[in-house]
Amino acid sequence: MLIKKKKARSHTEDRYLALVLATAAGILNAMALAAFGFLPSHMSGNASQISSEVASSDAYGFLFLAALLLAFVIGGGLARVAVIAGQKFRTIFCLILLAEGVALTAVSVFEILFYSARFNAEILITLGFLMGVHNSTSTQLSNGRVRSTHVTGTLTDVGIALGSFLSSFVSRDKGLDRRFFQKQLHTHLTTIFSFLSGCMAGLVLFDLFGFHAMLALGVFLIAVALSAIVMTVRMASKLMVARKA
């Protein structure tokens, strides 16, 4: 699921990726909304809100939203740089997810110990950065089929895949692969369902456990990344032993 393979990735692998990363993104997004009243991954809405801040001459609101957008972009860009720099390592995506989990855990511990409303803007910008990393990682790993935080883009992909699938029933073009479009549609719907389920779970979990729930999410991401690294190392070791034999 988290390993970039030389062969083409299957839709099944991407669906597992969506189940884990899109659900995690939805949970974190909802927790941030419950804690701070803001959605750190909702860049379309945040970008639109900048215009209202300009119209109302709210310099602080404008600068905060601009910083949030920039943090998301920087997070996505940094994840891309990491992938390019570490393309020789099969576990590069695992390492990025591991770093994200560690950062989220650190933020959660800070909020548990030192929560103060005066740090809300900085925490949200940090979460926006992590969301950028998260979305860039899933997008690169799946070759654009799984955008874990970008619901607008994924809904667009659902519409395109649905249109292509329906067209395959009436088109005379035998080049249209109905099965391929069906798999693509299932992958995008899985991403949407996972994100929405994560949002609902995130609100409930934060209401029950507060920032301890966010801490658990960070630990979960670390566990997923470490388990993938261990499995990859074991598989590589077995292959080396088999070749020597």
Side-chain angles (χ1 to χ4, degrees):
M1 178 186 72
L2 289 173
I3 304 300
K4 191 77 169 181
K5 299 179 180 178
K6 292 182 179 179
K7 67 178 180 66
R9 284 176 62 87
S10 68
H11 280 276
T12 300
E13 290 168 333
D14 283 338
R15 286 180 203 129
Y16 282 127
L17 182 70
L19 281 171
V20 175
L21 295 192
T23 301
I27 290 174
L28 182 57
N29 206 42
M31 286 182 178
L33 177 63
F36 311 112
F38 241 91
L39 297 169
S41 74
H42 188 40
M43 292 301 117
S44 298
N46 293 336
S48 299
Q49 192 172 340
I50 285 182
S51 60
S52 66
E53 304 299 343
V54 172
S56 62
S57 301
D58 185 354
Y60 176 81
F62 171 80
L63 290 175
F64 165 69
L65 289 170
L68 187 58
L69 292 173
L70 183 61
F72 188 90
V73 173
I74 291 174
L78 187 60
R80 178 56 181 165
V81 170
V83 169
I84 293 173
Q87 57 187 330
K88 294 183 179 180
F89 300 97
R90 294 191 66 198
T91 57
I92 182 59
F93 290 98
C94 305
L95 294 173
I96 294 173
L97 186 64
L98 177 62
E100 180 192 347
V102 170
L104 180 58
T105 299
V107 170
S108 303
V109 170
F110 177 85
E111 288 294 89
I112 291 170
L113 298 177
F114 309 108
Y115 174 79
S116 174
R118 63 192 179 94
F119 296 131
N120 283 0
E122 289 79 1
I123 296 297
L124 275 168
I125 290 170
T126 302
L127 294 180
F129 169 81
L130 293 179
M131 282 291 196
V133 171
H134 196 83
N135 195 50
S136 178
T137 301
S138 63
T139 301
Q140 292 180 80
L141 183 53
S142 65
N143 296 316
R145 291 197 296 212
V146 178
R147 298 182 177 92
S148 54
T149 70
H150 190 39
V151 175
T152 303
T154 304
L155 284 173
T156 303
D157 292 337
V158 167
I160 293 173
L162 179 61
S164 299
F165 176 69
L166 295 176
S167 297
S168 67
F169 287 95
V170 297
S171 176
R172 295 181 180 179
D173 185 0
K174 295 182 179 180
L176 289 177
D177 188 343
R178 184 181 305 166
R179 182 62 177 164
F180 170 78
F181 294 131
Q182 185 179 26
K183 290 180 179 179
Q184 199 172 49
L185 180 60
H186 288 169
T187 299
H188 296 320
L189 288 175
T190 300
T191 304
I192 295 295
F193 175 79
S194 298
F195 186 86
L196 292 177
S197 299
C199 286
M200 291 185 285
L203 287 172
V204 173
L205 289 171
F206 191 85
D207 184 57
L208 292 173
F209 305 108
F211 287 106
H212 289 86
M214 191 178 290
L215 173 62
L217 179 61
V219 173
F220 171 74
L221 293 177
I222 292 173
V224 170
L226 287 177
S227 63
I229 292 172
V230 170
M231 290 175 61
T232 303
V233 171
R234 285 182 177 177
M235 289 177 61
S237 299
K238 289 181 180 179
L239 286 174
M240 289 180 64
V241 171
R243 287 174 182 173
K244 289 180 180 179

